[in-house]
Amino acid sequence: MPTIKDIAKAAGVSHGTVSNVLNRRGGVSYEKIRLVEQTAKAMGYAIDEKASQLRRGDTRTLAVILPSLSERRYADLYTGILRHAQERGYSVRLFFTDDLPYLERRIITEALALKVCGILTVSCLDDHGKDYHPVLSRKVPLIFLERPALEECLCSYSFDMEQASRMALGELDGGDICLVTGEAHFRDQAALRGALCAQLDGLAGALYENQRGGQSPAVHLLLQRETPPRCVICSNEELAEKVLRIYAEGGIHPPVIVTLSSLRPAPSALYHNVTLNYRMLGHEAVGALAAQIEQGQPPISRIFPVSGCTRPFSGPALLRTRTLHVLTHRTPGAEALERLLPRFTGQWGIPVKLHFLSLSEVIEHVTRPSGQPWDVVRLDPSSLCYLAPRYLYPLDQIDRNAAALLRQFLPNLQNDYSVISGRLYALPFDISVQMLFYQRTLFEDAGEMRAFYEATGRTLGIPASYEELDRICRFFSRKLRPESRVQYGSSLAPNNPTSTASDYLPRLLAGGGLSYRSNGCLDLTTPAALSALRDYISYTQCANPEPVSNWSEIAENFVAGQAATAILYAHHASNFVRAQRANVGVEIGFAPIPGGCPLLGGGSFGINAKSEQAEEAYAFIRWATGEEIAPEMAMLGGISACRSVYEQREILDTYPWMGALPASMRLGIRKPILSSNEVDYNQRDFEYTLGEHILKAIAGFETPEEALRNTQKTLDAIH
């Protein structure tokens, strides 16, 4: 491999210039950065990161000690550790003990020899103070996972086994109960046994300890009992699977099985699951370890609560003859729901047909007095306020406790997605909000950063205002800067009036807010409204002029590298993950939109006030918006309103922007834009009118002043 000296000679620059470029230090012009990078690439040079770390005396390597990866909980734990470690710039060295003490002692010595900067361990040892003394004496940060350390002074991240035992028993309705656990000397297993024994009498003779993984006959002893147990509680999924298998092999109907299991979007439907968030445990442990390494903050032991319970499939219901008809726009969430519909029909015996329509067609079907009958409709926040009291069934007339369902959702959603004038009309289905997405590789490229500074005198970074966004988009527009590495600086909204208005309105909100006349009517004749429109028209000149039909197409074009930035409704960003070229969180970054005033999107499910199947429709929307399918729907590309989704690291690792979604949702606005008072008008119609005139202004058929003035006439007529 060529040396820095070889590259310097070939590029005709100094040794120091090459070193500064390759090590990303400043003080080098854009032209020289590009020259050195191109020369190094042509000569096959690659930075040896490990050698660089050794020269700095810092390995930034974490040792992770696990029993194995064959068990799901440890695979999830390791995934949580690895993802967060990589996000924070650490590498991970993985060791396996197979729960053999001599192997763990050997691994401790090996990890210290590698000069790791921290250790995370699921330990099988009995004397942690003694066996980990070499680690503690060298002040290497250390956290014990799952199985708490014997010494209280050592930091442990574990689960609440007392709560787990209560929830496991809550899944049962009495009868003869047996408990199958791992080795009793592990403190998590001992805690579970102790909690269950404290709550049950007579369990002492029904405890089975599975030692050294599958080498113990403990599970097989269940078949040797004089009276077969009615219920079996297992401390992990692997033991639950063993119980099912031995009963199946013996041709015997299995007992009811409750097991502690790792939280996943699609839990097993074979037994009752008391779920523990192993990915989150690993994620949080890395954060605590990094805080100690980087800031000297010693970690504090934590006990993580149980995530929840899931129940096995109880068998198919009798199929009914009448079909529920659901009107919806085609979104990633609706497409995900379509894949899961057979489960609802199997459980409830209710056939469901989704009718995919454009947004305008959905509204036309809802408001038309005659035509194809429908039972359920998905409405977005801009039209829900107007349409719900006229066409939807108040849910509290079907179920007087329906408002309790709102507790499962993220806070602060009900005013935009559910409640109109104090009545509950809908449940949030696929919520969304505008977010900024950007090509991270461009924004963090040393050459682009230098060129941006030379061109603007400013630092290239995530834009906090629209002024900063517009400057960045001009810089990356090849029409304005021919050497740009991408064709366009920005991405336009779909070529329809409503989407165009939703692209403009956040600029108006951020550029001085909304102004209203004395009668409560929105005033679009203000200098702020005109300035925002002129800036928006200028911004469109940095985008691809070819029209696109929907937000998903914009996402696909962005992933293909057409533009440096894109402002999208977040529920369409799942297209990033589907694209093979995308690496979200590494190559694609995300942030709140500039100005901090995003519009809310997505939609809610409500029931036709004239539906003859209101009870069946209510069962459907409870299921479609509820926690039972929320994680799976999220993994299939939808965005659920359920809080529990945002606790699952597997989902957040797959769709990283979802971790930032709740905060952006709190900033979101939609309903109050049209008027400061209640008006009898569909805000979506206003947005359509505004968008029509903005498109005319972009095309040059109207001046910006005329576009706003003509929209204002419509508003004045409403009031």
Side-chain angles (χ1 to χ4, degrees):
M1 188 173 71
T3 64
I4 289 179
K5 184 177 180 181
D6 296 332
I7 297 171
K9 183 177 180 180
V13 298
S14 69
H15 181 282
T17 296
V18 175
S19 178
N20 285 340
V21 171
L22 297 181
N23 289 288
R24 299 192 173 188
R25 292 192 285 264
V28 184
S29 69
Y30 171 75
E31 290 78 9
K32 286 186 178 180
I33 290 173
R34 282 285 169 260
L35 176 62
V36 170
E37 288 179 340
Q38 292 168 3
T39 303
K41 183 178 180 180
M43 297 178 72
Y45 180 85
I47 295 177
D48 188 340
E49 189 60 35
K50 289 185 178 180
S52 299
Q53 290 176 350
L54 288 173
R55 285 194 296 271
R56 296 193 301 265
D58 174 19
T59 65
R60 289 188 71 81
T61 298
L62 304 179
V64 177
I65 304 173
L66 301 177
S68 70
L69 283 184
S70 62
E71 297 186 38
R72 294 171 188 166
R73 53 184 169 150
Y74 295 136
D76 287 343
L77 177 64
Y78 177 64
T79 301
I81 291 170
L82 182 63
R83 290 289 183 92
H84 200 197
Q86 290 174 335
E87 289 171 1
R88 303 192 70 135
Y90 292 90
S91 60
V92 172
R93 179 68 184 272
L94 180 60
F95 299 92
F96 296 128
T97 67
D98 293 324
D99 274 341
L100 297 173
Y102 81 91
L103 276 181
E104 185 170 346
R105 295 187 187 99
R106 181 187 299 171
I107 288 168
I108 294 170
T109 302
E110 185 179 349
L112 291 175
L114 291 172
K115 297 183 178 179
V116 298
C117 59
I119 297 177
L120 298 169
T121 178
V122 177
S123 178
C124 66
L125 299 172
D126 291 326
D127 193 341
H128 296 129
K130 176 183 176 182
D131 290 318
Y132 277 88
H133 176 72
V135 175
L136 300 171
S137 64
R138 298 189 190 187
K139 297 183 179 180
V140 177
L142 169 68
I143 298 180
F144 291 87
L145 305 179
E146 187 192 44
R147 305 165 181 171
L150 300 174
E151 293 81 359
E152 298 296 333
C153 60
L154 299 178
C155 180
S156 301
Y157 274 32
S158 58
F159 294 106
D160 189 339
M161 287 300 163
E162 184 175 344
Q163 182 192 16
S165 69
R166 290 197 304 271
M167 297 186 76
L169 292 174
E171 294 295 297
L172 305 175
D173 55 2
D176 185 21
I177 298 175
C178 289
L179 171 64
V180 181
T181 73
E183 297 183 50
H185 71 95
F186 298 146
R187 291 190 68 192
D188 64 318
Q189 303 296 290
L192 179 65
R193 293 163 68 105
L196 286 170
C197 287
Q199 297 174 65
L200 289 174
D201 295 327
L203 187 60
L207 299 175
Y208 297 88
E209 178 185 354
N210 200 62
Q211 298 182 344
R212 294 286 177 260
Q215 298 174 24
S216 169
V219 174
H220 297 272
L221 295 175
L222 289 172
L223 296 181
Q224 299 176 20
R225 290 174 58 91
E226 292 184 9
T227 304
R230 184 176 181 278
C231 311
V232 175
I233 298 175
C234 300
S235 64
N236 61 65
E237 292 171 271
E238 282 59 43
L239 292 177
E241 290 175 357
K242 286 185 174 71
V243 171
L244 278 177
R245 187 167 62 249
I246 64 167
Y247 274 87
E249 291 171 350
I252 304 172
H253 185 73
V256 175
I257 299 175
V258 181
T259 182
L260 275 58
S261 62
S262 181
L263 177 66
R264 288 189 169 185
S268 173
L270 298 176
Y271 30 71
H272 298 255
N273 296 275
V274 177
T275 54
L276 307 176
N277 199 336
Y278 275 86
R279 282 208 185 200
M280 183 65 74
L281 185 81
H283 180 277
E284 295 295 299
V286 169
L289 212 61
Q292 184 176 9
I293 295 167
E294 298 165 11
Q295 302 164 23
Q297 298 178 4
I300 300 173
S301 292
R302 289 178 60 182
I303 298 176
F304 288 71
V306 174
S307 296
C309 293
T310 66
R311 294 173 175 81
F313 180 49
S314 58
L318 182 64
L319 190 65
R320 307 184 192 187
T321 57
R322 297 187 65 180
T323 298
L324 278 179
H325 293 277
V326 180
L327 307 180
T328 178
H329 184 49
R330 184 176 290 278
T331 66
E335 291 176 342
L337 179 65
E338 186 177 36
R339 297 186 183 100
L340 299 174
L341 280 180
R343 184 185 307 176
F344 174 77
T345 301
Q347 291 176 354
W348 291 84
I350 302 173
V352 179
K353 172 66 175 177
L354 297 188
H355 299 272
F356 290 110
L357 307 169
S358 69
L359 289 173
S360 59
E361 289 171 335
V362 168
I363 293 175
E364 182 183 350
H365 275 72
V366 170
T367 57
R368 193 168 53 191
S370 61
Q372 180 179 336
W374 58 275
D375 301 288
V376 175
V377 65
R378 174 192 176 277
L379 295 176
D380 67 18
S382 67
S383 56
L384 180 68
C385 183
Y386 177 77
L387 297 177
R390 292 167 170 79
Y391 302 102
L392 298 188
Y393 207 125
L395 300 184
D396 53 12
Q397 289 186 12
I398 303 173
D399 176 7
R400 63 182 181 181
N401 297 315
L405 297 174
L406 299 177
R407 290 198 288 267
Q408 69 185 315
F409 303 125
L410 293 172
N412 306 316
L413 296 182
Q414 66 181 42
N415 288 335
D416 289 286
Y417 292 92
S418 297
V419 177
I420 309 298
S421 301
R423 298 298 300 273
L424 177 62
Y425 285 98
L427 298 177
F429 170 57
D430 55 347
I431 61 173
S432 192
V433 67
Q434 291 170 314
M435 295 183 71
L436 172 69
F437 295 87
Y438 61 94
Q439 304 285 359
R440 184 190 293 271
T441 49
L442 288 180
F443 277 62
E444 296 180 355
D445 180 86
E448 297 296 335
M449 293 170 68
R450 181 67 187 185
F452 186 80
Y453 181 80
E454 291 176 356
T456 67
R458 299 173 186 270
T459 300
L460 178 61
I462 300 171
S465 67
Y466 277 102
E467 180 183 3
E468 294 175 10
L469 174 65
D470 294 344
R471 185 183 300 117
I472 290 170
C473 291
R474 289 193 296 270
F475 173 78
F476 282 115
S477 173
R478 196 170 291 169
K479 182 169 65 174
L480 302 177
R481 178 174 162 262
E483 62 270 26
S484 174
R485 292 167 60 186
V486 291
Q487 185 73 32
Y488 306 105
S490 60
S491 304
L492 286 185
N495 191 37
N496 66 69
T498 304
S499 297
T500 298
S502 72
D503 225 14
Y504 162 73
L505 285 171
R507 286 178 174 264
L508 175 59
L509 290 163
L514 302 176
S515 296
Y516 296 94
R517 295 180 175 178
S518 57
N519 63 353
C521 177
L522 177 65
D523 188 356
L524 290 176
T525 63
T526 63
L530 181 59
S531 176
L533 181 53
R534 286 173 172 165
D535 289 343
Y536 179 68
I537 294 172
S538 175
Y539 166 82
T540 65
Q541 304 309 303
C542 301
N544 186 349
E546 294 295 324
V548 295
S549 58
N550 55 59
W551 292 103
S552 293
E553 188 177 344
I554 293 175
E556 292 164 5
N557 292 340
F558 177 72
V559 170
Q562 280 193 6
T565 66
I567 292 178
L568 292 171
Y569 284 99
H571 63 304
H572 292 286
S574 60
N575 291 279
F576 296 160
V577 175
R578 296 174 187 173
Q580 293 183 359
R581 294 178 55 188
N583 192 346
V584 186
V586 178
E587 295 177 355
I588 295 176
F590 53 90
I593 69 167
C597 299
L599 295 191
L600 295 172
S604 305
F605 274 143
I607 300 171
N608 184 357
K610 297 181 180 180
S611 172
E612 296 178 358
Q613 302 186 82
E615 294 282 350
E616 292 85 349
Y618 181 61
F620 169 74
I621 67 171
R622 286 187 61 176
W623 176 83
T625 63
E627 293 182 329
E628 179 183 343
I629 67 165
E632 287 178 85
M633 197 180 82
M635 287 300 293
L636 289 171
I639 295 184
S640 170
C642 292
R643 299 170 187 257
S644 58
V645 166
Y646 301 89
E647 299 172 357
Q648 297 210 27
R649 289 306 320 176
E650 183 172 354
I651 296 172
L652 301 184
D653 289 340
T654 305
Y655 304 103
W657 62 87
M658 285 186 62
L661 188 77
S664 289
M665 292 294 299
R666 287 194 292 270
L667 298 174
I669 185 174
R670 197 67 181 246
K671 194 163 61 176
I673 294 176
L674 177 59
S675 174
S676 60
N677 303 325
E678 290 287 338
V679 293
D680 189 25
Y681 191 73
N682 189 349
Q683 178 166 303
R684 189 168 191 84
D685 292 341
F686 152 68
E687 292 179 10
Y688 188 91
T689 300
L690 173 61
E692 277 189 317
H693 290 293
I694 292 175
L695 287 172
K696 290 178 180 178
I698 292 172
F701 298 127
E702 292 181 352
T703 66
E705 292 86 351
E706 290 171 336
L708 294 175
R709 190 162 55 245
N710 290 334
T711 305
Q712 190 66 51
K713 291 178 182 178
T714 300
L715 288 174
D716 292 341
I718 296 171
H719 286 74

